[in-house]
Amino acid sequence: MAERAPVDAHSTLRNALKLGGSLLVTYVIGFGLQVLVPRVLGPDSFGQYNWANGTAAAFFILSALGLDVYIRKEVALRREHASEFLGGTLLLQGVLAVGLLGALLVMMRLEGTPPEVRALTLALGVYQFFFRLNAILAAVLHAHEKVDGLSLAHILMKCLWGFGLGLALLLRAPLPWLAVPFVAAELVKTGFLFHLTHRHAGLRLRMDVRATGAALMTALPFFINEAALATNGRVDVFVLGLVANTKEVGYYGAVWGIAGLTMLLSPILGWVLLPMLSRAAASSEEEFTRILRRGLEGIVSLSVPVTLALALGAETWVHLLIGEAYLPAAPVLRLLAPIFVLTYVATVCASWLMAANRTWTVTRTSVLAAGLNLGLNLVLIPPFLAWRGVTGGASATATSLALCEVVVTVILVSAIGSRAWDARSLAVLGKTLGACAAVTAAHLLMGRLGLDSSTLPRGLARLVVDGLLYVSLILLTGAVRKDEVLGLVRLVRNRRKPPASTEPPAAEARAA
């Protein structure tokens, strides 16, 4: 039996900080372009671009095979295992990609999609193949806790992508050219990641039919779960474009880009948390539960204030970031904002259940949510369009997604039961919600007293007051403890120094 790697919270946190640092750089570039693209293209052309991106991603859900999640769980315990199946799965993915591109082309011709949108969608399909392949290679490095080169790869890829897309926008290139930087950046990243996995993880691509089949069967629940999760974020865009129009897709996609700011930690959770929980489950039941509770507590503390700021300042953020042309979509941003707290909680709970070998619980929940989301979109979009007119379809899609996230979160938390929370985390949750209620009341009162969001300076001033009040309340009530914040700052500052103790401090436990 292979030797089990011990749970090293210091190493895990250092890896999270490295990945977080690289993600911060890439998010700055990505977010800058995410607000520039809708500004330059306008709602109509941006709607076509966003529909092409969402449709390509929806079709290529099938190409991931659930391997990245499987690798983080299994290769974290058996580090040589990746070489046994990746050669065979890579071949299968290539065959699937060709078939999916063909199916995508047939569908668009039957729907009468304009030629330039067809070309853009097919090119983005190629991008999706390499994007998902790179996620699998990155998972091998996460499982081996070798993330230094991976952090560099994120930055280089995003710089290449950002420069190319910015140049295409500057030159007012036709829509299909917007996909070229995506494909080029992922191709470069693929070559770099193959080098890193060979060097740091000893990865060798070889054909082993039995090992490949066994890996695919074990990864099946991960695959179904991942496909269902991706369906919630991609198929709704595809359906919105078909049932409503691409302009609605433009409004929805533009404010989704703003709301995506709150998902900065999502990749880190997926990359770091599941391997850490898998090792904890194999070595210490007490540690396994502790990571879950402190993870939920920390994620609520971090995500709630950002979500609150988005919801209260929806008009201000839309005006500031993507321009007045998208102001009708501000209510859609307000509907999307609470989703991300739920998504974070569900992600932590799902990782714990997977590490506890209850993967099918997560999978069934995700499949239920995917079916519910599709059905709600089909039912709600037509009446919302009649009721709200412009952005009615986008509002229906946001409402559908919010309802699905509520269902998913309730089911996953219930599946874990009392192990998910203790008195400390429930106290933090209560204090945080109380602070949110107080800030919301103050925000509405300022509007009644004349400090409204009719102009950008007034809206920003109102948000600054909201932020100061929130920080004051959480510190006064102890929802976030000052000693833990200072401890985390010291840990970040000294992250290159060896840990002085084998027992992780409370701040590190919260961050993990």
Side-chain angles (χ1 to χ4, degrees), residues 236 240 248 252 332 335 373 376-385 387-388 391-403:
D236 52 1
L240 180 60
E248 290 280 341
Y252 182 75
V332 182
L335 287 169
N373 189 35
L376 286 173
N377 270 284
L378 293 172
V379 169
L380 294 182
I381 289 174
F384 269 60
L385 282 170
W387 171 39
R388 296 188 57 87
T391 73
S395 297
T397 298
T399 301
S400 300
L401 188 57
L403 291 173

Side-chain angles (χ1 to χ4, degrees), residues 10 14 491 494 497-505 508:
H10 287 87
R14 285 194 296 273
L491 183 64
N494 301 318
K497 298 178 181 179
S501 170
T502 57
E503 292 296 325
E508 183 177 346

Side-chain angles (χ1 to χ4, degrees), residues 14-15 189 210 224 226 233 310 382 503:
R14 285 194 296 273
N15 288 335
K189 189 176 180 181
R210 179 175 296 178
I224 297 174
E226 199 172 54
L310 280 180
E503 292 296 325

Side-chain angles (χ1 to χ4, degrees), residues 5-10 12 273 275-295 352 355 419 502-505 508-510 512:
V7 181
D8 183 357
H10 287 87
T12 298
L273 190 60
M276 184 181 184
L277 284 168
S278 296
R279 286 188 285 270
S283 61
S284 170
E285 188 72 18
E286 181 181 354
E287 179 76 356
F288 190 38
T289 301
R290 187 188 67 83
I291 292 172
L292 169 68
R293 289 175 174 174
R294 299 290 78 82
W352 189 90
R419 299 182 69 174
T502 57
E503 292 296 325
E508 183 177 346
R510 178 189 291 270

